[in-house]
Amino acid sequence: LRRQPPGRAAVEDHLGRIWLGTRNGLNIYDEISNSFIRVPLGNFSKNIYTPAIAEDTNGNIWVGTDGIGLLKVRIDSSRKVPAFHVTQFLKSDSDSSSIPSNTVFSLRTDLLNNLWIGTEAGLCKIDASNLRDSKTKIRFAHICIIENNKCVLDNERVSEIINHGNQLWVGTKGRFIYCLDYTNPKNKTWKTIA
């Protein structure tokens, strides 16, 4: 196996392909050559740090980066040499539905097929219906966890997101862990764990 920089994030997609995010970019494992192939990320630096990867139910690969936002990668493997199509999502101060930061540390899909995004400046999600409709502009819903009429998770670095059953666990750079129980969609409740 040809040597690769240490991985920070990895995901196996629905076709069994292994995607690996490293300090030097995004790679996909090629079983035939027993090596990793660098995924061309368009006009971006080839040494981009990719600390988070997830796949949505449409087979899109979402890649969190350090400084150039969130990337959506589609692969066209019907050709002899696969073609990669990359869409970039950046923070925009003039658009409240844009991603809250260009640095993304964590990505996770939940059991309802929503995509959760942990950034340098808080937590957001893309609803499953928005992910399914390719003609609709992607909207990032910014998440604010309210306790005692005060937003306790706002503009805080989200370093990890884990889905466990009907619960979504969110780890932050601060001193708390947050847990969303979405068993009852009409009454979703967050718990703060010190």
Side-chain angles (χ1 to χ4, degrees):
L1 185 64
R2 196 168 26 177
R3 205 171 147 84
Q4 247 335 283
R8 166 61 175 100
V11 71
E12 181 177 358
D13 70 17
H14 71 285
L15 295 175
R17 296 176 295 216
I18 305 294
W19 298 76
L20 182 68
T22 70
R23 290 200 171 275
N24 296 325
L26 180 64
N27 304 274
I28 187 169
Y29 179 66
D30 178 34
E31 286 186 73
I32 295 168
S33 67
N34 194 31
S35 65
F36 282 92
I37 298 169
R38 176 69 50 95
V39 175
L41 295 177
N43 299 328
F44 313 116
S45 164
K46 62 181 173 179
N47 290 331
I48 184 155
Y49 180 38
T50 54
I53 306 173
E55 180 184 26
D56 68 21
T57 56
N58 301 314
N60 297 309
I61 301 296
W62 293 85
V63 181
T65 71
D66 184 7
I68 66 162
L70 181 66
L71 306 177
K72 179 174 81 170
V73 179
R74 287 185 307 107
I75 183 171
D76 178 1
S77 52
S78 63
R79 308 158 88 191
K80 190 169 188 171
V81 175
F84 298 93
H85 306 280
V86 180
T87 306
Q88 181 184 36
F89 299 92
L90 293 168
K91 174 181 174 39
S92 171
D93 292 333
S94 63
D95 183 359
S96 63
S97 68
S98 73
I99 194 164
S101 169
N102 289 332
T103 299
V104 177
F105 292 109
S106 187
L107 295 166
R108 187 72 58 197
T109 53
D110 65 21
L111 295 178
L112 303 174
N113 299 320
N114 301 306
L115 179 65
W116 293 83
I117 302 123
T119 76
E120 178 73 34
L123 179 66
C124 63
K125 77 171 181 172
I126 304 172
D127 287 322
S129 60
N130 196 205
L131 290 169
R132 279 191 301 274
D133 186 359
S134 61
K135 295 180 181 98
T136 305
K137 176 188 174 216
I138 295 290
R139 299 195 182 284
F140 296 85
H142 297 230
I143 306 300
C144 181
I145 298 170
I146 306 290
E147 282 187 358
N148 300 325
N149 295 323
K150 181 181 172 197
C151 184
V152 294
L153 174 66
D154 184 32
N155 206 23
E156 185 175 349
R157 177 190 287 183
V158 174
S159 54
E160 193 60 60
I161 305 169
I162 297 172
N163 194 54
H164 178 71
N166 288 333
Q167 296 177 325
L168 191 76
W169 292 83
V170 177
T172 68
K173 184 180 178 188
R175 52 180 204 211
F176 295 111
I177 297 172
Y178 302 94
C179 178
L180 170 65
D181 185 345
Y182 55 93
T183 306
N184 180 353
K186 293 180 181 178
N187 185 25
K188 296 177 189 170
T189 56
W190 285 95
K191 288 188 261 182
T192 303
I193 299 151

